Amino acid sequence: MEIGSSSGNFKLYDRLELLEYQDKFVIKSVESPDQGFSICRREGNIEPLSGKFLILLFFLYLRFAEILNESSSGRPSKISTIYGVAGTIRLLAGIYVLVITSRKEVGSFLGYPVYRVESMKFLACNEALRYSNSQEKRDEAYFMTLLKTVEATPGLYYSYETDITLNLQRRCKLMEGWMSKSIWKQADPRFVWNKHLLEELIEYKLDGFIIPLLQGNILKLLFPRAFELICMCVACACICLSFQVAQLKLKNSPATFTLLSRRCTRRLGTRMWRRGANLEGDTANFIETEQLLELEGFRCSLLQIRGSIPLLWEQIVDLSYKPQLRVINHEQTPQVVERHFHDLFQRYGETIALDLTDKHGDEGQLSAAYSAEMQKLPNVRYVSFDFHHVCGNSNFDNLHILYDQISQEFEKQGYFLIDTDGNILEEQKGIIRSNCIDCLDRTNVTQSYLAQKSLNIQLQRIGVFTSTECISMFAEDYGKFRTLWAEQGDEISLEYAGTHALKGDLVRFGKQTVAGLLKDGMSALSRYYLNNFHDGIRQDALDLVSGRYTVSRNNPSPFQLNSFESFSYLPVASALLIGGLTVTTFTIQQAGRNAQQYVSSVVWAGVAAGVMALVKANGRQFCSRPRLCGLL
């Protein structure tokens, strides 16, 4: 695909050829073979292919080598098709190139095709590994394990023809000619998942190959005039695409409804290992969600954001079901909160901060600390709403109590609206920032409720609905709307917590169901397992790929532990515990027969109790912990 088009928009090369030689990799465009670059497999040096003349000489050399019957090192050992280069990363022994090996078109964003990454792989340029010492080889092996985790990252999207990190309102306010810039220059760096990986490609000015990847989700409803609904929903756990077809009666008006969530990479991480804010004011699980409505030539956009409570706090896993939450006392806490909300004001305007946490227990202490800091900010309205107390597990409609508190300001903030000619009719002048503890379950229920309110206002403004009509009056359409929001909640939760969202039934049906309770129970157990025994490695992978940890030969190995290795002792402790309980149970049954069996029961019960006490006292040591970076 050519760079540029008749409309002046920049386009990336969408189909590439990977040639694997003994000493290098060559990546070039299929449609423009003179455009590409090579990477040395020993040193990792990148060299752009400089023009058609050199390409011609290159192929003449291959032909000459064949005639002379030289070794096969002069010819590629393998030629394959790839669909993009996601970047490079340097480790101890060389460079690793991340390429997209499979993609799937999942829809469009403002008329431009959007693709989801189906599979990726790293190409190793690490021939220097043979010259490394034993510790460096062990470290490199662990880093390569982390790269395998990166290859399986869910929910990555991109487009060859446009940037998808910018919301509609920002796009419409960009200067003329912006779309002719390289796509990576158009992108909002907050939402570029592979920003760190692209640095070397940018340095070598390989603009036609630089693909900014967005981690999030894109869900779309099409309401055609023939009333056919196609629902495209992306499930990030298994990276699949599903289609649902149903008859709609949206007053005979064709419409497209899209949900697009953009995950910020400034404090990228997993549920338990990235909480709260860092000293710069960036928060964990910060996501911008855009609800787009395209109808009769009009385009409407509503933005909402979510993010962890912007204080310094932690909740370290220790094998307990609900680890203790601790607020970190730090002299810069007021500045952290101020930096966070100042950044939001600069980007979105006036902010309403909705705090959905409990008002008792550990959550209550965190909420109280948050409230105290928010009283010092005169330009932000802080609203505390105990979701569990007011709504419980089934009273979804009780959210009207919250809406009554903020409705006037929410409707004043408005939404963005343009007509068929691109004229701006309405602008969104502020933002709702929602949070609970994880910014997943309660947050998604609340955001879907506010999105529904705004959708009603938009449809009334365009003239599709009368002033007395709302989406909930059209049962089938309303069901599809709620399903999309529930599926979006699942995807966001999968990326952060590793499981589907809880309370999904409140969004789908407005009430909790038995099936939903069972699903929530399974998700809660899965979260416990992943958070305690898996997420440490996943956090290391995210810190590595985001550039938060930089590999250097000058730094000491991060894997030389000062204490016992948790994964070596956990199976032993588990075996002793299970064995102790089993033998205790067996000997108790035999204890009535003789005193020796009774003594054995006591001994084995003591062993089991001792192991349990050891594990409980050292719970944190038995959990999977990140090794590369600290919490802040």
Side-chain angles (χ1 to χ4, degrees):
M1 184 176 291
E2 298 180 356
I3 299 179
S5 68
S6 58
S7 61
N9 289 2
F10 189 96
K11 292 184 179 180
L12 298 170
Y13 300 118
D14 64 345
R15 198 159 173 264
L16 309 176
E17 196 170 58
L18 170 64
L19 296 86
E20 301 183 29
Y21 294 88
Q22 184 175 347
D23 60 341
K24 63 186 172 184
F25 293 107
V26 174
I27 298 174
K28 59 188 182 69
S29 168
V30 171
E31 296 186 15
S32 301
D34 60 314
Q35 297 297 318
F37 58 97
S38 65
I39 307 169
C40 174
R41 298 184 73 159
R42 179 172 179 177
E43 303 294 338
N45 298 326
I46 296 176
E47 293 185 8
L49 302 179
S50 53
K52 297 181 179 179
F53 180 69
L54 289 182
I55 292 292
L56 179 61
L57 289 179
F58 180 69
F59 283 110
L60 287 175
Y61 165 76
L62 293 182
R63 179 59 180 162
F64 183 68
E66 184 177 359
I67 293 174
L68 293 179
N69 197 24
E70 293 184 0
S71 68
S72 60
S73 62
R75 292 174 295 188
S77 59
K78 182 180 179 181
I79 300 177
S80 56
T81 299
I82 60 175
Y83 300 96
V85 181
T88 64
I89 187 168
R90 288 190 178 272
L91 302 182
L92 292 172
I95 193 172
Y96 295 78
V97 185
L98 183 60
V99 298
I100 300 171
T101 55
S102 179
R103 70 184 182 190
K104 189 162 190 176
E105 186 173 348
V106 295
S108 62
F109 175 64
L110 302 177
Y112 298 99
V114 175
Y115 297 85
R116 184 188 63 232
V117 176
E118 291 282 283
S119 62
M120 305 184 290
K121 77 172 180 179
F122 278 97
L123 307 175
C125 303
N126 60 354
E127 295 293 330
L129 184 61
R130 68 182 70 175
Y131 307 110
S132 301
N133 60 43
S134 59
Q135 182 61 52
E136 289 175 340
K137 289 180 178 179
R138 286 195 295 270
D139 291 353
E140 192 81 354
Y142 183 76
F143 286 134
M144 293 173 67
T145 299
L146 299 183
L147 296 186
K148 287 293 183 182
T149 301
V150 173
E151 289 177 349
T153 301
L156 297 178
Y157 299 86
Y158 66 97
S159 174
Y160 296 107
E161 301 182 45
T162 192
D163 166 55
I164 59 175
T165 66
L166 295 180
N167 58 66
L168 181 61
Q169 183 160 322
R170 284 195 65 189
R171 290 172 67 95
C172 291
K173 289 180 170 291
L174 293 174
M175 66 183 70
E176 186 177 352
W178 181 264
M179 297 290 287
S180 64
K181 292 179 176 288
S182 303
I183 288 182
W184 72 267
K185 293 179 180 178
Q186 300 176 31
D188 186 335
R190 294 180 301 158
F191 303 127
V192 179
W193 175 84
N194 57 333
K195 176 186 174 184
H196 173 66
L197 303 180
L198 294 176
E199 290 179 355
E200 289 207 44
L201 299 182
I202 292 173
E203 180 182 348
Y204 284 94
K205 297 180 172 57
L206 298 168
D207 289 1
F209 299 88
I210 300 174
I211 298 179
L213 297 178
L214 168 72
Q215 187 179 41
N217 53 76
I218 301 174
L219 299 102
K220 176 169 292 196
L221 288 175
L222 298 177
F223 305 96
R225 193 171 297 276
F227 311 124
E228 182 185 57
L229 168 70
I230 300 176
C231 172
M232 291 188 252
C233 57
V234 186
C236 297
C238 54
I239 315 183
C240 67
L241 181 68
S242 65
F243 293 88
Q244 300 175 358
V245 180
Q247 297 298 315
L248 292 181
K249 298 177 182 178
L250 192 57
K251 305 193 72 173
N252 201 23
S253 296
T256 301
F257 178 81
T258 305
L259 283 181
L260 195 151
S261 291
R262 305 173 176 96
R263 179 178 296 278
C264 181
T265 61
R266 289 180 174 176
R267 190 158 168 74
L268 198 62
T270 59
R271 176 174 174 249
M272 288 298 190
W273 293 112
R274 284 297 174 267
R275 294 292 211 186
N278 57 21
L279 294 177
E280 288 71 39
D282 306 313
T283 61
N285 203 25
F286 184 91
I287 295 172
E288 175 191 275
T289 296
E290 182 173 19
Q291 176 178 282
L292 281 171
L293 175 68
E294 298 173 76
L295 176 67
E296 297 182 349
F298 293 95
R299 285 177 175 173
C300 303
S301 167
L302 173 73
L303 293 177
Q304 295 187 74
I305 54 176
R306 70 178 75 191
S308 192
I309 291 177
L311 302 178
L312 306 178
W313 61 282
E314 64 182 16
Q315 193 175 18
I316 306 299
V317 291
D318 58 2
L319 297 181
S320 62
Y321 179 73
K322 194 172 184 180
Q324 184 177 6
L325 189 155
R326 185 177 75 91
V327 179
I328 301 172
N329 293 320
H330 197 285
E331 60 182 5
Q332 290 195 39
T333 294
Q335 288 82 6
V336 168
V337 179
E338 183 179 0
R339 288 169 191 149
H340 178 74
F341 282 99
H342 177 73
D343 181 65
L344 295 186
F345 179 79
Q346 294 293 317
R347 296 179 184 278
Y348 301 106
E350 295 182 356
T351 304
I352 299 176
L354 302 185
D355 180 12
L356 307 172
T357 56
D358 297 344
K359 304 312 168 197
H360 59 275
D362 286 352
E363 284 194 24
Q365 295 177 15
L366 178 61
S367 179
Y370 184 27
S371 176
E373 293 297 334
M374 293 301 292
Q375 305 309 316
K376 304 173 185 177
L377 299 180
N379 298 323
V380 181
R381 184 184 174 191
Y382 170 78
V383 178
S384 179
F385 182 79
D386 190 333
F387 185 98
H388 284 150
H389 177 71
V390 178
C391 297
N393 291 322
S394 59
N395 298 317
F396 176 73
D397 290 337
N398 282 355
L399 278 173
H400 76 84
I401 298 173
L402 171 62
Y403 187 73
D404 290 343
Q405 297 180 53
I406 65 171
S407 60
Q408 186 174 356
E409 290 174 88
F410 176 64
E411 293 172 14
K412 183 180 177 181
Q413 285 183 353
Y415 51 89
F416 185 70
L417 173 65
I418 58 175
D419 63 16
T420 54
D421 298 321
N423 299 314
I424 298 175
L425 305 180
E426 302 280 353
E427 292 189 43
Q428 185 169 342
K429 304 177 183 66
I431 198 79
I432 298 288
R433 183 200 190 278
S434 303
N435 74 265
C436 46
I437 287 296
D438 298 327
C439 302
L440 295 176
D441 314 316
R442 289 169 279 183
T443 296
N444 202 63
V445 174
T446 303
Q447 285 196 341
S448 68
Y449 186 89
L450 297 176
Q452 174 191 332
K453 293 292 186 181
S454 181
L455 181 61
N456 290 333
I457 295 172
Q458 294 168 23
L459 291 171
Q460 292 170 7
R461 169 68 171 81
I462 295 172
V464 176
F465 285 172
T466 66
S467 60
T468 60
E469 290 178 323
C470 59
I471 188 69
S472 61
M473 297 172 64
F474 302 87
E476 192 171 6
D477 302 350
Y478 185 39
K480 296 300 180 180
F481 167 84
R482 293 192 300 187
T483 297
L484 278 188
W485 270 96
E487 287 167 346
Q488 183 212 220
D490 284 341
E491 294 165 16
I492 291 174
S493 180
L494 283 163
E495 295 167 4
Y496 186 54
T499 72
H500 289 95
L502 309 183
K503 298 180 176 64
D505 279 0
L506 287 180
V507 181
R508 283 184 173 89
F509 312 116
K511 61 181 180 180
Q512 193 81 61
T513 65
V514 174
L517 286 171
L518 292 174
K519 180 182 176 183
D520 286 354
M522 293 300 297
S523 293
L525 290 175
S526 296
R527 283 186 185 182
Y528 173 83
Y529 171 78
L530 294 171
N531 296 162
N532 282 277
F533 305 117
H534 180 70
D535 281 354
I537 294 175
R538 196 158 68 100
Q539 185 62 56
D540 278 343
L542 292 171
D543 287 334
L544 183 65
V545 76
S546 65
R548 191 163 184 266
Y549 179 84
T550 303
V551 178
S552 172
R553 288 179 176 269
N554 299 324
N555 295 334
S557 169
F559 310 122
Q560 293 176 337
L561 304 180
N562 297 321
S563 59
F564 67 87
E565 172 57 77
S566 60
F567 289 109
S568 298
Y569 285 81
L570 184 59
V572 176
S574 300
L576 285 174
L577 180 59
I578 295 172
L581 291 174
T582 301
V583 175
T584 299
T585 302
F586 176 76
T587 54
I588 285 176
Q589 294 174 353
Q590 306 294 324
R593 300 181 181 180
N594 55 66
Q596 185 178 1
Q597 292 290 346
Y598 178 78
V599 172
S600 297
S601 299
V602 173
V603 170
W604 280 105
V607 170
V611 173
M612 289 181 67
L614 176 66
V615 171
K616 183 177 180 181
N618 298 277
R620 292 189 177 187
Q621 300 298 328
F622 285 101
C623 294
S624 170
R625 300 173 61 87
R627 304 180 184 183
L628 300 185
C629 298
L631 294 178
L632 296 180

